[in-house]
Amino acid sequence: ATPSTDRRAARYSCPRNAYLPTYYLSSLVRPIKPQQATYRQSRINKTNQKMMNTTPEEAATKLGNEPTAAAAPLTATASAAADTTANGSGQTEGDTKQPKSEENGDTTTNNTTNTDTRGHWDQTSRKVVVHNVLKYIRAKEITKLTTQWLLGHEDTIQIVKTKKPPKDNWVKVTLASEEMVEPFIKLINSGGVVGEGGVGGGSAMLNGRGKPLFAKRADEMFSERRGGGGDDGDSRKRKERDDNGNNENSNNDRNSTKRQRADNRPPIRILSNDEVRDKITPLWRMPYEEQLDTKAREMVTKCAVKIVKEIKGKFRILEREIKRGQRQSCPKLYDWVNQKRAIEMEQPVRSPQMYEYRNKCEFTFGYRLVEPEQEQKKNEEAISIIAGVIDAVEVKKEEEVDMKDDGGGENSKVNVEDGGLMDGDTATAVKEVEETEAKVEEEAQVKKDAIKEEDIMADDEAVKTEKNEATATATDAPKTKEPAAAAADTGKTDTPPPPTNFQKIPSVGFLAQGWSGGVYHPHCLQNTPDWSCGLADLFNNEFLPTSPIPPYDSKCHRGIWRTVTLRCSLRTRECMVIVLHAPSKGGAGKREDGQDDYSEVFEGEKNRMVEILTRGVIPMPKREFPEDHVDEHVDDDGGSEENGEEGGIRVTSIFFQEYEGLSNPKPDHPVQHVYGKKSLEEKLGKCTFQISPGAFFQTNTKGAEVLYNIVVDRIKEVTTNPKETLLLDVCCGTGTIGLTCLKEGVVGRLVGVDIAEPAIEDAKINAEKNGYAQEEDATATKITRFVASAAEKVLPDVMRDIPRNSPIVAVVDPARDGLHGVVIRTLRANEKIQRLVYVSCNPTGTLVRDAAMLCSPP
């Protein structure tokens, strides 16, 4: 340690454990505050006076050093500290050799509990630690507690100082002299009674809960914690740097700890469908009524109660500011806050559709893990079926030949030529067999060519190392019973370890176990609709197996295909596909040798993907649902949902989005339109909305209708003159809430603000589609106005532009981050706002904070 890193390193020609007083060291290392200068200077003067009146021999004897090391005056310590240099043992130039131990004669530091080898200023030998005191106790109560311990022993034992950490169950006591240590320990441990052999013969003192106290020397406790060596912190650090003079040992320890954490992680395995549902939709096992009850309790405990608690905390802060003189007055705590139910909670509203309700799904490109035995078993089953059909055909042929030899007629001859079946279907069977054989061979060849060796099996070197270690262990180990026999003897059967050499197949789906666990198909999830699973099958079965471009790996940031976002409207039968990919020349972790450059084949693969997705109607696959799943397929104003050409869903627009960053792009990140329409059209209530790729829209269309009807009802309760009322829609998105309120007639004008410029452009177009674009009333004021900017930047100006005689209702629908503080203050400062409706997608998080700010004193 150097003086710049350890203030205790500024030593005064004394042994390693004898340090200067803390108040003096502070003046050397850090600047002295003005209010402390007088006090510290007086202490320094007293110390200097003592040392000036002490001869060098007396100073050396007091410090436990050899007389040859003359003690310099304390006034020279600053210059000595400045000239201090750290040698190999951490000593300064003024340090002398450490005293030799009488037992072994080695030159080592004597760190026992004796006081003669400790410095004059060391108080460790006078400190005692008392355990088993109450964990939560105030400082005043500690003083009373120590006074009770010393009742009847005030003349012989004196406590100078006490210290207790806030959440620990021990107290460190500093006594007036070392002679008081042993009597105090006996007093705590045995009530001052000494039995045979010097051992305590009485009962120990008890804490407030009746448990015995236990006292021990502080230096003994510290030496036990440090491995019995009694070394100080500097010695421990020097031991870690003995070899190289740096922190390599500690770094190795940290690295080994990381490796241990990695080794302790549960092994990757393939999850079942139920386990995938547990990861993605954790409440799927509950009945829907029980889910509603769970949500209701969660809203009470994690939202309403926390809001009241936050408001009370705001009042406490104001009271403290008044005491400090930072505030003149504080309003009295609101009466409604002290009520038993300060915030009334209504029952959750049921969703009109419980299954397959999502109109937007986002899948990740990755690798699906498959056990090699499982894939091989499928191929063997297919081959066995083909072989059985071939054997049956050959048997039929032999029977026909036999019949011909027996004089069977023309019918037999014709049947033999057609394939050998008595009913004339032989040719069809043989043709099916040949097609099946060709298909199996083609699929096997495609998989063999498409998947690289590094993506199929685990690292070959690691596998070889494991095999070599297993072979060496088996060779060196003594012969034991077979596993089956051993299991029979013990009555237990060992579960085989999960395999680690999974086959990795390019796929799209959900990450149920993180990046290392692979992707899982969405077919087993009850909230994903059929059309999204059909599109996933097109990627998994037709595009990815034969694509030379690999999926993106987030660990090494290599690969191209990242995510695919799917939007669909069952009412307009339109579907939008947005494919997020890394640059064709490689991601952020691309290798310099050009192995990750796919620019030559990228455009061709894009065209092939578009061709596969737009070939026809999206196929509806077979799903694997739980037994209690209810089929909710309903004709939703767009024709039948069956797999027909007229009523089926088609991909109507495709976008590609290039992104080189490591996380996810912003909503306004540019996209490349490659096919079809540039937007998606959706019907919601009485309105029709256009949705661009980066615009926000509710993921449950029918649920959004219920939500917007509730907003309309809340606004209708306070609007006495709807035509004159203005709706301020903060974070309006595509204008769905505001235009719905206009269509329902509860407001007369609309002002929307949103940070996403594409969403604002959609809002303007949506106003046109629903009959409100450029429409002006008698005062030449626009009915709709949309502003593309951050709400905290433009909302104050927007509020100033609103006519003074116009009543206002406000609706806020922020993202998960909640509202900005400027927005909250602006809304609170406007007295014309008759009602504020807060639509939250994070009710247990940012809603608590924002509601407390809206309902607390300014």
Side-chain angles (χ1 to χ4, degrees), residues 13 64 77 89 109 202 251 307 378 441 477 494 513 546 612:
S13 301
T77 307
S89 62
T109 303
N251 291 335
I307 291 174
K378 291 182 178 180
E441 292 177 358
D494 295 335
Q513 295 186 100
T546 58
I612 291 174

Side-chain angles (χ1 to χ4, degrees), residues 484-541:
D489 293 342
T490 59
K492 298 180 180 179
T493 57
D494 295 335
T495 303
T500 56
N501 54 341
F502 295 110
Q503 184 177 359
K504 302 168 76 174
I505 301 176
S507 301
V508 295
F510 291 112
L511 297 173
Q513 295 186 100
W515 293 101
S516 301
V519 298
Y520 289 84
H521 290 170
H523 297 61
C524 63
L525 300 177
Q526 301 182 79
N527 61 342
T528 55
D530 289 342
W531 58 265
S532 64
C533 298
L535 288 173
D537 286 345
L538 292 179
F539 281 101
N540 294 331
N541 300 335

Side-chain angles (χ1 to χ4, degrees), residues 330-451:
C330 173
K332 186 181 178 182
L333 182 64
Y334 304 143
D335 295 335
W336 64 269
V337 177
N338 286 325
Q339 294 179 3
K340 186 175 182 181
R341 291 188 177 182
I343 299 177
E344 291 292 336
M345 298 293 300
E346 298 181 359
Q347 289 298 321
V349 181
R350 295 176 60 92
S351 173
Q353 185 175 352
M354 293 186 295
Y355 303 110
E356 304 179 45
Y357 56 82
R358 294 190 64 89
N359 58 33
K360 177 183 177 182
C361 297
E362 183 174 330
F363 299 145
T364 303
F365 285 93
Y367 292 95
R368 181 169 59 92
L369 304 183
V370 179
E371 296 182 8
E373 298 178 356
Q374 181 180 356
E375 197 70 15
Q376 184 179 0
K377 187 182 295 184
K378 291 182 178 180
N379 295 335
E380 291 177 354
E381 291 177 357
I383 293 173
S384 63
I385 293 174
I386 294 171
V389 174
I390 293 175
D391 293 341
V393 171
E394 291 179 353
V395 170
K396 294 295 182 180
K397 286 182 178 180
E398 292 177 359
E399 291 179 357
E400 291 296 330
V401 171
D402 294 340
M403 292 178 63
K404 181 178 180 182
D405 294 340
D406 294 340
E410 296 182 358
N411 291 334
S412 299
K413 184 176 180 180
V414 173
N415 288 338
V416 170
E417 292 175 355
D418 291 340
L421 291 178
M422 296 296 294
D423 55 358
D425 295 335
T426 305
T428 304
V430 172
K431 186 176 180 180
E432 291 178 356
V433 169
E434 293 176 352
E435 291 178 354
T436 307
E437 287 180 332
K439 188 175 181 180
V440 171
E441 292 177 358
E442 183 181 356
E443 290 180 355
Q445 186 65 27
V446 166
K447 290 181 180 180
K448 187 175 181 180
D449 296 339
I451 305 174

Side-chain angles (χ1 to χ4, degrees), residues 48-286:
N48 291 343
Q49 187 66 31
K50 290 181 181 179
M51 297 304 296
M52 292 294 292
N53 296 334
T54 305
T55 62
E57 291 78 6
E58 293 176 353
T61 304
K62 182 178 294 184
L63 295 174
N65 209 342
E66 296 180 1
T68 56
L74 261 172
T75 54
T77 307
S79 60
D83 297 333
T84 300
T85 58
N87 54 27
S89 62
Q91 290 179 319
T92 59
E93 292 181 357
D95 287 343
T96 60
K97 294 182 179 180
Q98 302 297 335
K100 294 183 178 180
S101 174
E102 297 180 359
E103 297 180 0
N104 51 22
D106 296 334
T107 306
T108 57
T109 303
N110 191 353
N111 286 320
T112 61
T113 58
N114 297 330
T115 58
D116 52 354
T117 58
R118 296 183 181 273
H120 173 67
W121 305 101
D122 189 11
Q123 301 178 354
T124 307
S125 60
R126 296 190 281 118
K127 294 180 180 179
V128 178
V129 178
V130 182
H131 297 270
N132 290 344
V133 298
L134 297 182
K135 183 179 294 186
Y136 301 100
I137 187 172
R138 299 178 182 177
K140 296 181 180 180
E141 296 177 353
I142 294 175
T143 305
K144 295 180 181 179
L145 184 63
T146 54
T147 304
Q148 293 177 0
W149 291 345
L150 300 182
L151 287 177
H153 302 272
E154 295 85 351
D155 298 336
T156 57
I157 303 175
Q158 296 179 2
I159 295 178
V160 178
K161 183 181 178 181
T162 59
K163 179 181 179 181
K164 181 189 178 301
K167 296 182 180 181
D168 285 329
N169 60 347
W170 55 270
V171 177
K172 185 165 63 176
V173 178
T174 303
L175 301 174
S177 64
E178 186 179 359
E179 290 76 11
M180 302 178 184
V181 172
E182 289 300 330
F184 180 75
I185 293 176
K186 294 176 182 178
L187 177 65
I188 297 298
N189 295 341
S190 59
V193 180
V194 181
E196 297 180 0
V199 182
S203 59
M205 290 187 177
L206 305 179
N207 62 11
R209 297 182 178 177
K211 294 184 179 181
L213 301 175
F214 175 71
K216 196 173 185 179
R217 282 181 175 270
D219 49 9
E220 293 179 5
M221 185 183 73
F222 296 150
S223 63
E224 289 178 1
R225 289 183 178 179
R226 296 165 182 169
D231 298 335
D232 60 0
D234 296 339
S235 301
R236 293 200 310 277
K237 294 177 182 177
R238 281 192 294 272
K239 286 180 180 179
E240 294 178 356
R241 299 191 297 264
D242 280 343
D243 296 335
N244 302 321
N246 53 23
N247 285 335
E248 290 184 1
N249 292 338
S250 59
N251 291 335
N252 293 334
D253 294 340
R254 286 194 292 269
N255 293 334
S256 62
T257 305
K258 291 180 180 179
R259 287 193 295 270
Q260 291 174 1
R261 288 199 299 265
D263 296 339
N264 294 333
R265 293 174 182 171
I268 298 298
R269 60 186 182 87
I270 298 177
L271 302 179
S272 63
N273 289 337
D274 287 351
E275 291 175 324
V276 174
R277 297 186 190 104
D278 290 336
K279 296 286 186 179
I280 308 298
T281 54
L283 299 181
W284 73 275
R285 297 180 185 272
M286 293 185 184

Side-chain angles (χ1 to χ4, degrees), residues 687-718:
C687 300
T688 302
F689 297 99
Q690 172 182 301
I691 307 170
S692 61
F696 170 78
F697 197 83
Q698 297 289 341
T699 57
N700 185 347
T701 304
K702 294 183 178 180
E705 290 179 342
V706 176
L707 173 64
Y708 294 168
N709 289 334
I710 295 175
V711 175
V712 169
D713 294 338
R714 295 294 183 269
I715 294 176
K716 191 182 299 184
E717 293 174 355
V718 296

